[in-house]
Amino acid sequence: MKRLNSQLQDDGAPMELILLIRTLLAGCKEIAFRVSQGALAGVLGSTLSENVQGETQKKLDVISNQILKDILKDSGYVKAISSEEEDDVVACNPDGKYLVSFDPLDGSSNTDINSLIGTIFSISHAPQWMKPDDPSAFLQPGTQSVAAGYVLYGPSAMLAMTTGRGTHLYTLDKTHGGFLLTKANVKVPEQTSEFAINTSNQRHWEAPIQNYVADLLAGEDGPRGKDFNMRWVAAMVGDIHRVLSRGGIFLYPFDKRNPEKPGKLRLLYEANPMAFLMEQAGGMADTGTGRIMEVMPSEIHQRVPVLLGSKQEVQTCLDYYK
């Protein structure tokens, strides 16, 4: 099997980006070990604090964030970091060429039930004329990303990543500690019979999503003329990994409860990296009003609605907005 370095070189990634990715993944391997220890390491449960999102932090949220922050700051390749767990950007090397955004532990509420969780990341070029602590450096559309991916901490630790030359899947080989290519150039089936959405929020959805999901649930007796299965992992990494592996559509749509927060998922370190992966695998990613990767961020913790997955199904969903 091909090693990560070889695939990145084949994809034309510059050496400094390869070294940064290796550094980031070294942190993810440390997180994978901490996750695997679970209750034995005393890392489960919640802290007494909340993050900038107003969400109660899990112990592993804090630990994972610190691991990635420390290793990236020491690397020399990174000018600044933005994280779900940090109120503001974290300044690193003033001469660093890259910006890294990450959700250190997506789905951390699953830690206490030993279910799927993961790390999501996105890498872009750092504007050299800006100071490392300037948050406006991160206000770039997803189309400016040079790499994105996630590490899924499941029965095996898996990496899904793209540098703009296709989406590849890797598996962590614990015998030598490296990621090995297990599926190159993933292609998401254009059609699907699976969808993922948190239906407990149904009363808060806009009419287009209400109508779309109602038609899915009507199955072969409804206008779609076929039955659909619903799946929901409660961790974006788990649901997106399933979509990349066998197709489907994942939805976290606009929620009218709070107009100031039009979506649940954050643009820089959740929606954009997953959209990049999905598009490079032949899928589609939209907010309901436009392509996710073309959204111009207004602040580092901005939220957006997310509709992504199998191309024809996402387009069918978007047709309900017309």
Side-chain angles (χ1 to χ4, degrees), residues 38-307:
L40 299 177
V43 296
L44 302 185
S46 301
T47 67
L48 298 177
S49 59
E50 294 182 344
N51 62 17
V52 67
Q53 322 292 337
E55 300 163 341
T56 300
Q57 290 178 304
K58 295 290 185 178
K59 292 178 183 177
L60 271 171
D61 278 323
V62 177
I63 293 169
S64 301
N65 185 67
Q66 196 64 48
I67 288 170
L68 294 179
K69 185 167 66 170
D70 289 347
I71 201 167
L72 291 173
K73 285 183 73 174
D74 291 343
S75 72
Y77 307 123
V78 181
K79 188 166 188 172
I81 292 165
S82 65
S83 165
E84 181 183 17
E85 304 303 329
E86 299 285 341
D87 291 7
D88 303 306
V89 300
V90 178
C92 300
N93 180 3
D95 298 319
K97 292 184 179 179
Y98 294 100
L99 302 173
V100 182
S101 300
F102 56 81
D103 180 347
L105 204 64
D106 177 65
S108 58
S109 61
N110 281 347
T111 56
D112 295 337
I113 60 168
N114 200 30
S115 188
L116 293 177
I117 50 179
T119 298
I120 310 172
F121 62 88
S122 180
I123 302 171
S124 58
H125 287 295
Q128 292 305 299
W129 62 90
M130 290 185 175
K131 294 182 179 180
D133 60 354
D134 188 346
S136 63
F138 287 87
L139 305 185
Q140 307 177 34
T143 51
Q144 298 299 307
S145 301
V146 297
Y150 62 79
V151 176
L152 178 68
Y153 309 118
S156 60
M158 293 194 70
L159 164 68
M161 189 169 61
T162 183
T163 57
R165 298 284 186 89
T167 293
H168 311 308
L169 296 181
Y170 305 82
T171 302
L172 179 60
D173 181 357
K174 294 183 180 180
T175 60
H176 73 79
F179 283 94
L180 299 180
L181 181 70
T182 44
K183 189 170 184 180
N185 294 306
V186 173
K187 295 300 178 188
V188 177
E190 291 195 359
Q191 300 181 29
T192 184
S193 296
E194 286 190 346
F195 69 103
I197 193 168
N198 184 350
T199 54
S200 67
N201 295 325
Q202 181 177 1
R203 65 194 184 280
H204 304 297
W205 299 336
E206 291 181 296
I209 294 294
Q210 293 265 11
N211 296 333
Y212 170 70
V213 173
D215 286 350
L216 296 182
L217 295 174
E220 63 179 10
D221 298 326
R224 297 299 303 277
K226 66 175 182 178
D227 291 331
F228 285 79
N229 288 325
M230 189 180 79
R231 299 287 183 262
W232 187 249
V233 176
M236 191 184 191
V237 284
D239 283 306
I240 297 305
H241 190 73
R242 184 184 60 253
V243 173
L244 281 176
S245 299
R246 69 187 192 198
I249 182 171
F250 171 89
L251 308 105
Y252 223 119
F254 175 81
D255 189 322
K256 62 186 180 183
R257 279 176 290 186
N258 186 348
E260 295 181 3
K261 295 179 180 179
K264 170 75 162 59
L265 301 175
R266 274 61 60 135
L267 177 62
L268 292 188
Y269 41 82
E270 291 174 325
N272 267 339
M274 293 307 198
F276 196 7
L277 288 169
M278 199 61 61
E279 289 188 0
Q280 287 293 312
M284 191 172 179
D286 206 279
T287 65
T289 58
R291 184 183 174 206
I292 287 174
M293 292 185 68
E294 292 179 352
V295 175
M296 182 61 72
S298 57
E299 54 102 2
I300 60 172
H301 296 298
Q302 180 176 343
R303 301 172 188 251
V304 292
V306 171
L307 320 171

